[in-house]
Amino acid sequence: MVINACIVYISSRKNCIRHSLKSLWDNFNHKHRYPVYVHYFDDIYDDEAFRREARSDNSQDVRFISIPYKTPENIKEEELFYNRRNLWYARTSFSIQRKGYLHMCNFTSNMYDYPNTELSQYDFILTHDDESGYDSKVDINPFSVLRGQNKL
């Protein structure tokens, strides 16, 4: 039975993604061939030569998708975390330079219908961080487990 699923990365680390994609392929996706979407901000993966190199260790369908920055319309600038000066962490360790992290959080929380994505066509999505990796074979298919649960 075909499961309508994909694997999603949010990535900003060029030196991690190739190893992560290879370990995903070698230890899980070579059996299933789910499409893999690598979502990124800015132009980090715009170089086609780099994309070819990142795909060169495996045969999976890897799609690099540039996503736009988007602050939720219902959140005012002064309410963003780095402007919460009454919070010790925001005041000492979370400057406006971390705004990209907040965009990533918005994307991961809303990726299903996020602009410039194809994810709404899938029933199941498995997310990965670009520094994720598999040390050994994954013998179960988490999508099959989820499908068998008959739950949201």
Side-chain angles (χ1 to χ4, degrees):
M1 179 181 296
V2 175
I3 299 176
N4 185 26
C6 69
I7 299 169
V8 171
Y9 282 85
I10 180 72
S11 180
S12 64
R13 299 177 193 101
K14 281 182 124 174
N15 57 347
C16 296
I17 194 68
R18 184 174 178 183
H19 173 75
S20 185
L21 290 170
K22 181 176 179 353
S23 73
L24 171 66
W25 175 255
D26 291 346
N27 292 302
F28 174 71
N29 208 23
H30 70 281
K31 291 181 186 176
H32 308 287
R33 297 187 165 281
Y34 294 114
V36 178
Y37 292 88
V38 178
H39 295 95
Y40 64 95
F41 296 114
D42 298 322
D43 61 356
I44 186 170
Y45 296 126
D46 285 354
D47 179 23
E48 190 55 43
F50 180 83
R51 292 179 185 198
R52 277 192 305 276
E53 182 180 320
R55 294 180 186 117
S56 67
D57 296 326
N58 60 81
S59 298
Q60 60 198 334
D61 177 9
V62 179
R63 305 170 194 181
F64 288 88
I65 308 288
S66 177
I67 53 173
Y69 286 105
K70 184 178 177 197
T71 301
E73 290 142 15
N74 63 321
I75 300 177
K76 297 175 186 165
E77 178 72 20
E78 60 269 14
E79 294 175 347
L80 292 175
F81 191 74
Y82 53 82
N83 285 323
R84 303 271 176 135
R85 307 315 294 165
N86 60 323
L87 300 173
W88 173 83
Y89 183 70
R91 192 173 55 251
T92 62
S93 302
F94 203 98
S95 68
I96 194 168
Q97 284 77 27
R98 302 279 318 271
K99 191 170 186 177
Y101 174 78
L102 298 178
H103 287 292
M104 182 274 305
C105 291
N106 180 45
F107 171 74
T108 56
S109 297
N110 299 291
M111 69 173 72
Y112 197 70
D113 280 326
Y114 205 87
N116 201 35
T117 66
E118 301 173 8
L119 302 178
S120 61
Q121 67 183 328
Y122 295 98
D123 297 326
F124 298 98
I125 297 170
L126 179 64
T127 60
H128 282 69
D129 191 61
D130 56 11
E131 61 189 8
S132 301
Y134 294 84
D135 291 333
S136 59
K137 303 284 185 213
V138 177
D139 294 324
I140 62 163
N141 182 344
F143 297 125
S144 295
V145 173
L146 288 169
R147 186 179 191 130
Q149 301 260 330
N150 198 23
K151 296 178 184 177
L152 289 177

